[in-house]
Amino acid sequence: MGMMEKARRHTPQKTAVQAALERSAHFISAQELFGRLRAEGSPIGLATVYRNLNELVEAGAADVLQGDAGEQLFRSCGDAHHHHLVCVDCGRTVEIDPPSEEWVQQAAADHGFVLVRHVLDVFGRCSDCEAARAQLAQ
Ligand SMILES: [Zn+2]
Ligand SMILES: [Zn+2]
Ligand SMILES: [Zn+2]
């Protein structure tokens, strides 16, 4: 059993998925990552990409959030606690500091909650995407 688990954790596919994810500073969909791997000549299947991405999220090696169309978007992030500022058009991501981590604790305590975890992400349109939109509107 231990052998199987080890094999699962260290498959070449997972290494490839993780490496491709680390090359992207943006949040990207499984579909997009799959496209990149295939373009590089990888024979990997979409289901395998999904499975490996979810395993990376479970292991804390990747963050996941929901895109505008309801699709899951993935990013390889640092271990330290952080928040995201994400472009809704291209997925460009900046790690930002919220006004105060204490506020989160206090807000939970004020309502009699014991804080377990929190997610605070901010969504907008990056300057490139905003410029592209302005261009289209002309
Ligand atoms: Zn992150
Ligand atoms: Zn953008
Ligand atoms: Zn926080």
Side-chain angles (χ1 to χ4, degrees):
M1 190 184 117
M3 287 278 287
M4 282 297 290
E5 269 181 25
K6 218 170 193 163
R8 252 171 80 85
R9 273 202 301 270
H10 297 285
T11 57
Q13 288 100 324
K14 179 178 272 179
T15 305
V17 167
Q18 186 159 16
L21 195 63
E22 281 170 2
R23 281 198 296 276
S24 170
H26 296 195
F27 268 95
I28 60 173
S29 65
Q31 194 62 255
E32 201 180 336
L33 197 72
F34 168 69
R36 287 185 194 185
L37 285 163
R38 293 301 286 242
E40 290 167 8
S42 169
I44 201 164
L46 182 58
T48 306
V49 171
Y50 268 110
R51 196 187 62 240
N52 282 303
L53 282 171
N54 283 309
E55 285 177 12
L56 288 170
V57 170
E58 276 169 36
D63 281 350
V64 61
L65 54 81
Q66 204 159 39
D68 276 356
E71 78 280 25
Q72 284 188 310
L73 301 174
F74 300 87
R75 182 174 183 261
S76 174
C77 293
D79 283 341
H81 174 69
H82 61 275
H83 300 268
H84 307 113
L85 171 62
V86 187
C87 175
V88 296
D89 283 357
C90 74
R92 177 183 293 183
T93 303
V94 183
E95 294 183 11
I96 54 168
D97 293 321
S100 144
E101 289 290 333
E102 290 71 36
W103 173 84
V104 178
Q105 192 84 39
Q106 194 58 49
D110 285 350
H111 296 278
F113 281 55
V114 173
L115 188 66
V116 176
R117 64 189 176 89
H118 68 272
V119 178
L120 287 175
D121 292 330
V122 181
F123 297 86
R125 200 169 284 121
C126 75
S127 54
D128 287 351
C129 291
E130 190 58 33
R133 278 206 168 210
Q135 202 81 28
L136 278 178
Q138 275 170 8

